[in-house]
Amino acid sequence: TPSLEVSGLAYAYPDGTQALYGVDVTIGKGERVALLGPNGAGKTTLVLHLNGILHGGLGTVRVGGLTVDPKDRKGLREIRRRVGIVFQDPDDQLFMPTVREDVAFGPANLGVGGAELERRVETALARVGMLEVADRPPQHLSFGQRRRVAVATVLAMEPEILVLDEPSSNLDPAGRRELAEILLGLDVTMLMVTHDLPYAAELCPRSLVLSGGVIAADGPTPEVLGDE
Ligand code: ADP
Ligand code: ADP
């Protein structure tokens, strides 16, 4: 089963703006894919369909074989667990007194507790190299560290697909490097929305270009960027 199958997805906002016109995308398990395209292309609209935040248009979205269906509340909960979105601003994702509590929040909310919760928190923080700051308040960390903790909060949910919105934004060269190495070390399906073409080239063997609500290119990143 692929991690993600989007087929014939078309969507207009309530004001009539047609944001997507029949998008087809299949992403296999373990692939790392960049989602490129100019502002207004429909990237955010597509991402918000992956966990059912937006719905009501045409077409289907499947995550690990499970169809996103807003009428199926239990299914939607499972989809939200499977699609882990790291937002562009880590401060939208961090609100607890300590890093550890922020990382525990998602899985605890799903009913995970005890030793399993502890294992998830330790594992997620270790993956992003943030174990040693586990007991500090997130606000005391640098921006780059907060972004890595935001990634950990999502990893602790053990998602089927990790979606990252502009992961390299506002990072200095050292922070970019560190995050790239962390992301390259993760064994998870990844969809990365970015305007940072060198980052896409380094991290993602495959790229999609969304333009005017349609997939304008889909292929190996060097070819896609060569065509741009
Ligand atoms: P991107 O993420 O690639 O910048 P978006 O998905 O945000 O693109 O936007 C796609 C299109 O939908 C654009 O024309 C944008 O102006 C429009 N759009 C986005 N959000 C809304 C909204 N809430 N209401 C109406 N139109 C919207
Ligand atoms: P990005 O380019 O980072 O995806 P945008 O600037 O496209 O972000 O959109 C930022 C926010 O504004 C989103 O929540 C989007 O839904 C909303 N938005 C974008 N275009 C419109 C629009 N035409 N009408 C209403 N809301 C919009």
Side-chain angles (χ1 to χ4, degrees):
T1 332
S3 283
L4 180 69
E5 291 170 276
V6 174
S7 78
L9 187 65
Y11 181 78
Y13 281 96
D15 71 355
T17 305
Q18 188 77 35
L20 298 175
Y21 295 85
V23 167
D24 298 306
V25 174
T26 299
I27 299 181
K29 221 178 175 55
E31 273 197 280
R32 286 193 309 276
V33 180
L35 179 57
L36 313 173
N39 284 328
K43 302 181 299 295
T44 306
T45 306
L46 176 57
V47 164
L48 295 178
H49 275 83
L50 303 186
N51 63 4
I53 290 181
L54 286 179
H55 54 81
L58 299 175
T60 59
V61 177
R62 267 194 290 272
V63 182
L66 182 66
T67 302
V68 178
D69 173 4
K71 291 184 296 295
D72 171 9
R73 295 194 46 196
K74 206 167 146 239
L76 205 57
R77 257 176 78 86
E78 175 59 17
I79 292 280
R80 299 226 158 117
R81 187 193 70 73
R82 290 186 187 190
V83 180
I85 303 183
V86 180
F87 299 108
Q88 190 170 351
D89 185 353
D91 299 329
D92 289 344
Q93 225 144 352
L94 306 176
F95 50 88
M96 297 294 276
T98 67
V99 164
R100 183 187 300 283
E101 288 164 283
D102 261 323
V103 177
F105 183 84
N109 214 24
L110 297 172
V112 177
E116 168 64 8
L117 182 59
E118 215 164 292
R119 180 194 67 77
R120 289 213 194 184
V121 171
E122 302 282 308
T123 305
L125 284 172
R127 293 219 163 110
V128 301
M130 289 283 101
L131 252 184
E132 60 285 5
V133 300
D135 296 307
R136 305 216 345 234
Q139 307 88 298
H140 291 192
L141 306 179
S142 71
F143 183 85
Q145 289 176 314
R146 295 206 298 288
R147 177 158 290 147
R148 285 149 67 184
V149 172
V151 172
T153 64
V154 172
L155 291 178
M157 307 281 282
E158 302 192 339
E160 168 87 28
I161 177 161
L162 179 65
V163 180
L164 300 138
D165 187 8
E166 298 286 357
S168 63
S169 62
N170 302 314
L171 296 181
D172 60 21
R176 282 166 57 89
R177 184 78 264 125
E178 260 167 341
L179 186 65
E181 269 152 29
I182 287 162
L183 295 177
L184 282 167
L186 297 177
D187 182 21
V188 67
T189 309
M190 213 177 276
L191 179 65
M192 181 182 297
V193 179
T194 188
H195 288 102
D196 183 340
L197 302 183
Y199 222 60
E202 180 179 359
L203 288 160
C204 301
R206 175 180 166 201
S207 287
L208 303 169
V209 178
L210 199 56
S211 178
V214 302
I215 299 288
D218 177 359
T221 300
E223 285 176 26
V224 168
L225 295 184
D227 287 347
E228 281 298 270

